[in-house]
Amino acid sequence: MPALLTKNLGVVCPSCDFLNVVAAVRCMACGSATEGSAVAARTDPSPRLQPPQMDFAANEPTTPAAPIPAVAPSAPPGLKGRSAPAAAPPPPPSRGPPPRPTFQSSAPTQTAPQVAGPKFGLTVLAGPARGQRFRLAATGAQVGRAKGAILFPDDPFISPLHATLSVRDGKLFVRDETSTSGVYVSINSTETIPANGTFCTGLRLFRFIGAVEPAEPWNKSDLLVYGATVPNGQIHYAVEEVMLGDRGGRCLLSPGPVLTVGQGRCDFSYPNDEGLAPRHCEISPLPDGAMIRDLSGGLGTYVRVTGERPLKAGDRLRVGQQTLQVEALS
């Protein structure tokens, strides 16, 4: 190499081709010996001071240096013509302090399985739709002649929207939607009804009228209406059968402690009603109503629902001409 160029230009490392400073003895990149010392000795016999070695660790720049691109190795002779796999790019330089460790457990969190609530269904035991079964939704269903999920369009005793069945907290409730004929629920053993409350047995509907007050003492200036007198000092109770169209039918007035309904030898006897037991139920008057006792042996005595009433599996409903039984489904 001409001496003029060696004195004025940097020295190229023969190992890595790195361009070093003028008269560099060792490569600043890889540390290999360069030709700077030999050239300098030939061109200038006087001793010269070598540049001090640079401490790269002490003078490391604060900003990360750009990564040197990796040189892909040449393919072997047998794989010529095929593309060599590309080298993986170097990871990006980390900036900032490393993330601090956390003390949260790495174990997977187990969520408690959600237990589905009980499911309910209805089976028609008697009536024109006998044999049909209905599965209630998770929130319940509505029953009617024109509105709702459970429809009986051919039943003239069912209102357009008759009743609502709702499921809350795993329990079933029924509510009468101000229907004309009402919703009736079977009683387990005994049930108390108020004065003018209704109940049904078999194909019969009854109303407990309550106590009949005796007539006031006669005043000569007043006019009286013909009729039998109620003995003074004795309370009589009245129960009447309700005919079609909410008309009063046969009425029984009795001072006795118990009134009975059944097929025979009862205060209200209906020998041809197959839905009645021989002694179906008893009515015991109370000061503020009456207590109904079921003696049917499973045929059922029903009282009218006022407001909302809870139901359970095995309970029966009277809606129009249909008798429905509540079932618990799996």
Side-chain angles (χ1 to χ4, degrees):
M1 182 180 294
L4 181 60
L5 294 179
T6 306
K7 293 181 179 180
N8 296 287
L9 297 179
V11 180
V12 178
C13 177
S15 299
C16 63
D17 295 336
F18 183 80
L19 179 61
N20 295 275
V21 296
V22 178
V25 179
R26 292 186 175 274
C27 178
M28 301 173 60
C30 64
S32 302
T34 62
E35 298 178 354
S37 57
V39 174
R42 292 194 303 269
T43 56
D44 191 2
S46 60
R48 301 185 62 178
L49 297 178
Q50 297 181 358
Q53 299 292 332
M54 300 182 65
D55 189 1
F56 296 100
N59 300 327
E60 184 178 359
T62 57
T63 57
I68 300 175
V71 179
S74 59
L79 299 179
K80 288 185 177 181
R82 301 183 184 179
S83 59
S94 59
R95 297 179 180 272
R100 300 179 61 183
T102 60
F103 297 95
Q104 185 177 2
S105 175
S106 60
T109 57
Q110 297 181 358
T111 58
Q114 297 182 356
V115 180
K119 301 177 182 179
F120 299 95
L122 296 177
T123 301
V124 183
L125 299 180
R130 179 180 179 181
Q132 293 189 17
R133 303 186 66 183
F134 303 93
R135 185 184 185 93
L136 301 183
T139 56
Q142 290 183 323
V143 182
R145 185 159 46 92
K147 300 179 182 179
I150 302 176
L151 300 178
F152 301 100
D154 299 328
D155 195 332
F157 298 99
I158 294 183
S159 301
L161 179 59
H162 200 93
T164 297
L165 297 165
S166 57
V167 180
R168 299 192 306 271
D169 298 331
K171 297 181 180 179
L172 181 63
F173 299 86
V174 61
R175 182 177 67 250
D176 185 2
E177 299 292 351
T178 63
S179 61
T180 302
S181 298
V183 179
Y184 293 83
V185 178
S186 61
I187 64 176
N188 295 326
S189 178
T190 60
E191 186 86 9
T192 302
I193 61 173
N196 293 320
T198 56
F199 63 97
C200 59
T201 59
L203 301 177
R204 310 291 171 171
L205 179 64
F206 299 92
R207 178 184 291 114
F208 177 75
I209 297 177
V212 178
E213 300 294 337
E216 296 180 358
W218 177 63
N219 190 342
K220 293 183 179 181
S221 61
D222 295 333
L223 296 177
L224 296 179
V225 179
Y226 285 118
T229 60
V230 177
N232 293 328
Q234 190 175 11
I235 301 177
H236 283 64
Y237 299 89
V239 178
E240 69 172 349
E241 182 182 3
V242 181
M243 309 301 291
L244 185 65
D246 199 22
R247 296 175 299 171
R250 179 186 175 188
C251 182
L252 180 62
L253 183 68
S254 173
V258 174
L259 299 175
T260 58
V261 179
Q263 282 188 338
R265 297 183 180 181
C266 297
D267 296 310
F268 288 92
S269 296
Y270 305 95
N272 298 325
D273 194 337
E274 297 179 355
L276 291 177
R279 190 180 180 91
H280 198 96
C281 67
E282 294 178 349
I283 305 101
S284 301
L286 299 174
D288 55 351
M291 183 179 66
I292 309 297
R293 182 184 301 275
D294 180 37
L295 304 173
S296 64
L299 294 176
T301 301
Y302 302 80
V303 296
R304 185 165 185 172
V305 174
T306 56
E308 192 174 55
R309 183 185 178 103
L311 299 174
K312 62 181 182 301
D315 289 346
R316 299 180 182 180
L317 297 174
R318 282 270 183 96
V319 180
Q321 296 176 313
Q322 322 298 324
T323 302
L324 312 174
Q325 183 172 359
V326 179
E327 295 181 352
L329 305 179
S330 58

